[in-house]
């Protein structure tokens, strides 16, 4: 179902597929996290923090937990000292990558206009 199927029927945006999608990937950082995990395949927390830059540790941790709860990010913890934790995308998140690719193409076409 597309946006046209909901025309005139939406009382609350969160009740639509679009609303669900926004709840999973919306906000300032989630799409950036997904993009970097797609680009790097598997990333440790501090490497992800370093690549993003301006995000706080607390915010990154919170967003990773939310993405994990939504089935988008897989957290792999290794029992060693010091602790090693790696993050990667799930199969569910991989299905979102063509949409992100389309967003990148849109940006490439419209960035300098």
């Amino acid at each position: 179902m597309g946006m046209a199927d909901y025309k005139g029927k939406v009382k609350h945006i969160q009740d639509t597929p679009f609303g669900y999608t926004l709840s999973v990937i919306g906000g300032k950082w989630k799409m950036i996290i997904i993009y970097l995990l797609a680009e790097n395949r598997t990333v440790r927390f501090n490497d992800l923090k370093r690549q993003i830059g301006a995000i706080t540790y607390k915010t990154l941790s919170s967003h990773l937990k939310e993405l994990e709860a939504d089935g988008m990010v897989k957290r792999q913890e290794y029992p060693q000292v010091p602790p090693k934790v790696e993050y990667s995308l799930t199969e569910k998140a991989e299905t979102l990558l063509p949409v992100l690719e389309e967003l990148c193409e849109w940006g490439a076409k419209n960035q300098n206009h």
Side-chain angles (χ1 to χ4, degrees), residues 43-55:
V43 184
R44 293 180 70 174
F45 184 91
N46 284 333
D47 292 334
L48 199 52
K49 165 75 173 90
R50 205 171 4 264
Q51 288 179 35
I52 296 172
I55 194 170

Side-chain angles (χ1 to χ4, degrees), residues 25-35 52-56 59-60 63 67:
I25 65 168
K28 184 175 180 178
W29 301 109
K30 287 184 179 179
M31 285 185 40
I32 294 170
I33 293 167
I34 292 169
Y35 177 88
I52 296 172
I55 194 170
T56 66
T59 301
L60 177 56
H63 283 325
L67 286 166

